[in-house]
Amino acid sequence: MQLSVWTYEGPPHVGAMRVATAMSGVHFVLHAPQGDTYADLLFTMIERRDARPPVTYTTFQARDLGGDTAELFQTTLADAYARFSPQALLVGSSCTAELIQDDPGGLARALDLPVPVIPLELHSYQRKENWGAAETFYALVRALAGKSGAPRADARPSCNVLGPTALGFRHRDDVVEVRRLLKSMGVAVNVVAPLGASPADVARLGDADFNVVLYPEIAGTAARWLKKTFGQPIVETVPIGVKATERFIAEVAALAGVDPAPALAAGSRLPWYSRSVDSNYLTGKRVFVFGDATHAVAAARVARDEFGFAVVGLGTYSREQAREVRAAAAEFGLDALITDDSLEVEAAIVAAAPELVLGTQMERHVAKRLRVACAVISSPVHVQDFPARHSPQMGFEGANVLWDTWVHPLMMGLEEHLLGMFREDREFHDGAGASHLGASHAAGSVLLPTGGNRAPIPASRDGTRVSAQRKDEGESAARASNPSFVPTSSGHLLPVGEKGEPAQILWTPDAERELKKIPFFVRGKARRNTEAFAELGGLAEITLETLYDAKAHFGGR
């Protein structure tokens, strides 16, 4: 057995808890030892729910193993029904309880409770959390779903929205955005499940005209059963990004027989932002993508097609969706990384040397250690991924959120780089005060950052803060050591031209093109600093390599 600090997915009973916690009127009785109640923390602490999950544990101890744990389970189940009066009960075992081979389903049937009791067969040693959530939702749908048979009061076409659960990455906000899109097209939402649904709502799933599957990992199995049983088509496109949202609208409009124009009219600011000056700098940034299959594949396509990034790595921990991710990776000319070993993912990130990582909470830690920009796109998540504000991933508003979330880490990195690069510049010198503090801090009278009560040093002619004494010492030493170079007005050296004057520094075309990728408001300073670096090294030509060396030289100070 491999020990792991981090895990991408918990055991299947955590997936079952995500479904039960998302719903109302459902209670889950879990045959589990004392200690498995840690799962409550996932919902109350990370998701910041105001109520603990609707789960009752048998919490047997070691001394109970010598007695009758089956009786303990039945007593717990009867007490939970009497206390919570649910519309439906889920019963199952945790991984530890599986070893004692009690049968929660059979024991529950023996009690003959007056509500549906749905047994969960969760194979804890072969499967994981998302599979457990999918099986739980599928079991609920199979046990409860039907057609009401009553005439429909609403004449509009209707659909079910399937897949959102508790502890899902921005699921709550995604449902709001998808509802808004459907409403703008005149499509009614019959049931959203499991998030917010009751067993009575699940019983009405058959009334809808078609199903929208937002998270195939969780709702794919149930949607296929609904299609087979009630003939409900499935909307396959997950609306993450502008292009996918437009395809989603077209697919829904075709199934519902409605006009897509009102939904398309809303649009997103992402395409315009992508054409902005910031995007010119960001084009071609290398990005590594890892997460659950739905978010990873969608993020890779958005990164390439809508942001202009270069995808250099794509993978997932969702082994059940490995085929889909491999097919998507082939589009990018990559081999998909299918693993739940976070150390293997870290090694792949190091090998790919990306400038941005789009991943889970694990990749956030890795990127921080490697000093690479990162944005979280998928579960598993941290408490900060459940913001109080509205922050969807889907729909046009979700596309706006993607832009802000993915680009800001890169821009913050750029800002840090620029601060280092121009640390000695007039405006950014460590000793320069803020301009709003008055004339004593204005240009031309800057105090050195150290040295106690030293007098202000006047600025040189070109604005560079260089000590006159140090400058003279440097020129004399340089002339003595290398008579073929002459000092410039900035105190640096250049090769001597044919007539004894400093030779002009030339930029190669590649270096000029790279320079133009720097935002216009700092491009001039970047040019001057690079030329100063070339003068220091006695270079007559600035190549692409010189530009990078100058960046490293000033950025490393």
Side-chain angles (χ1 to χ4, degrees):
M1 177 182 293
Q2 182 178 9
L3 295 177
S4 175
V5 178
W6 294 330
T7 55
Y8 288 100
E9 293 182 282
H13 71 260
V14 172
M17 291 173 66
R18 289 177 59 184
V19 173
T21 304
M23 298 181 68
S24 62
V26 172
H27 199 84
F28 184 22
V29 177
L30 182 64
H31 201 21
Q34 189 177 45
D36 274 4
T37 53
Y38 75 91
D40 282 7
L41 294 176
L42 298 175
F43 301 92
T44 56
M45 186 176 74
I46 293 181
E47 193 178 6
R48 296 190 285 197
R49 295 183 68 87
D50 57 0
R52 63 175 295 272
V55 181
T56 296
Y57 305 85
T58 52
T59 58
F60 62 81
Q61 304 174 46
R63 64 188 179 192
D64 296 320
L65 297 177
D68 189 354
T69 53
E71 182 181 355
L72 174 63
F73 177 82
Q74 286 185 314
T75 301
T76 304
L77 179 61
D79 291 346
Y81 173 73
R83 180 179 179 186
F84 298 105
S85 302
Q87 298 175 30
L89 279 162
L90 297 170
V91 295
S93 299
S94 73
C95 47
T96 310
E98 277 188 36
L99 297 175
I100 59 177
Q101 298 185 345
D102 285 336
D103 178 12
L107 294 171
R109 281 194 297 274
L111 287 180
D112 195 23
L113 296 172
V115 293
V117 179
I118 302 164
L120 302 177
E121 298 289 339
L122 304 177
H123 308 292
S124 298
Y125 295 98
Q126 291 93 34
R127 301 290 189 166
K128 293 198 173 181
E129 181 178 325
N130 279 335
W131 180 86
E135 283 297 302
T136 301
F137 185 52
Y138 173 56
L140 273 163
V141 170
R142 283 203 63 166
L144 303 176
K147 283 179 176 279
S148 66
R152 187 186 295 177
D154 193 338
R156 295 178 298 169
S158 71
C159 67
N160 301 311
V161 177
L162 306 178
T165 66
L167 207 63
F169 183 65
R170 311 287 171 85
H171 286 194
R172 175 194 61 194
D173 297 336
D174 286 345
V175 169
V176 173
E177 283 306 306
V178 171
R179 274 184 173 274
R180 184 179 301 170
L181 288 174
L182 295 169
K183 182 180 180 182
S184 66
M185 287 187 283
V187 177
V189 175
N190 180 49
V191 173
V192 176
L195 187 64
S198 66
D201 293 327
V202 174
R204 297 188 292 107
L205 283 175
D207 292 345
D209 297 314
F210 58 94
N211 290 315
V212 171
V213 177
L214 298 186
Y215 310 100
E217 286 93 342
I218 296 168
T221 306
R224 288 190 290 274
W225 183 84
L226 289 168
K227 181 179 181 180
K228 181 179 178 182
T229 305
F230 301 115
Q232 295 170 320
I234 301 172
V235 175
E236 302 280 358
T237 303
V238 178
I240 297 179
V242 174
K243 294 181 183 297
T245 299
E246 291 171 347
R247 290 197 300 273
F248 172 82
I249 291 171
E251 197 171 343
V252 170
L255 286 176
V258 297
D259 183 6
L264 293 171
S268 167
R269 288 183 289 276
L270 189 155
W272 187 91
Y273 280 32
S274 292
R275 295 191 297 269
S276 70
V277 62
D278 288 338
S279 182
N280 289 337
Y281 174 76
L282 297 169
T283 298
K285 286 291 184 183
R286 298 164 57 83
V287 58
F288 186 97
V289 185
F290 192 86
D292 66 33
T294 298
H295 287 91
V297 171
R301 288 175 177 153
V302 172
R304 179 191 62 183
D305 301 336
E306 302 182 32
F307 283 64
F309 292 160
V311 178
V312 296
L314 174 60
T316 183
Y317 55 82
S318 304
R319 293 183 182 276
E320 287 81 8
Q321 280 76 40
R323 180 178 300 175
E324 290 85 346
V325 177
R326 287 195 177 97
E331 294 178 22
F332 296 87
L334 300 170
D335 292 327
L337 176 63
I338 312 297
T339 180
D340 57 1
D341 184 345
S342 61
L343 297 180
E344 190 176 344
V345 179
E346 179 175 355
I349 292 173
V350 171
E355 294 157 288
L356 175 66
V357 174
L358 301 176
T360 71
Q361 177 66 12
M362 278 71 140
E363 283 67 53
R364 175 184 276 159
H365 289 295
V366 171
K368 183 177 182 181
R369 187 163 59 251
L370 298 176
R371 299 179 65 83
V372 178
C374 178
V376 174
I377 60 165
S378 161
S379 296
V381 289
H382 188 258
V383 63
Q384 61 188 300
D385 297 310
F386 291 93
R389 69 185 185 281
H390 183 58
S391 186
Q393 298 287 286
M394 296 184 179
F396 290 129
E397 183 57 26
N400 295 335
V401 172
L402 294 184
W403 173 268
D404 289 340
T405 308
W406 297 5
V407 169
H408 285 176
L410 290 170
M411 300 306 293
M412 292 304 293
L414 171 65
E415 185 180 66
E416 289 182 4
H417 161 69
L418 292 175
L419 288 175
M421 186 172 183
F422 301 116
R423 183 173 296 170
E424 302 301 326
D425 196 90
R426 179 171 53 190
E427 292 92 339
F428 302 107
H429 190 281
D430 287 342
S435 59
H436 68 279
L437 295 180
S440 61
H441 296 272
S445 60
V446 178
L447 291 172
L448 289 176
T450 58
N453 297 322
R454 299 177 66 173
I457 302 300
S460 60
R461 189 173 54 187
D462 63 351
T464 307
R465 308 291 171 186
V466 180
S467 163
Q469 182 180 357
R470 290 165 51 195
K471 178 180 175 182
D472 292 342
E473 291 172 353
E475 290 176 6
S476 301
R479 278 194 295 270
S481 62
N482 194 346
S484 62
F485 288 80
V486 297
T488 65
S489 59
S490 62
H492 303 311
L493 301 176
L494 272 182
V496 178
E498 294 180 359
K499 297 180 181 180
E501 79 288 355
Q504 184 179 5
I505 297 179
L506 299 177
W507 286 71
T508 64
D510 285 343
E512 283 281 5
R513 280 195 293 273
E514 190 70 14
L515 181 69
K516 290 178 180 177
K517 294 179 181 178
I518 297 176
F520 68 94
F521 51 88
V522 294
R523 194 177 303 149
K525 291 185 174 66
R527 177 185 287 277
R528 289 196 295 275
N529 273 13
T530 306
E531 291 178 350
F533 175 80
E535 290 175 3
L536 282 170
L539 303 174
E541 184 181 61
I542 293 176
T543 64
L544 199 56
E545 186 179 1
T546 310
L547 186 60
Y548 290 147
D549 288 344
K551 177 181 177 183
H553 174 76
F554 288 105
R557 286 184 175 181

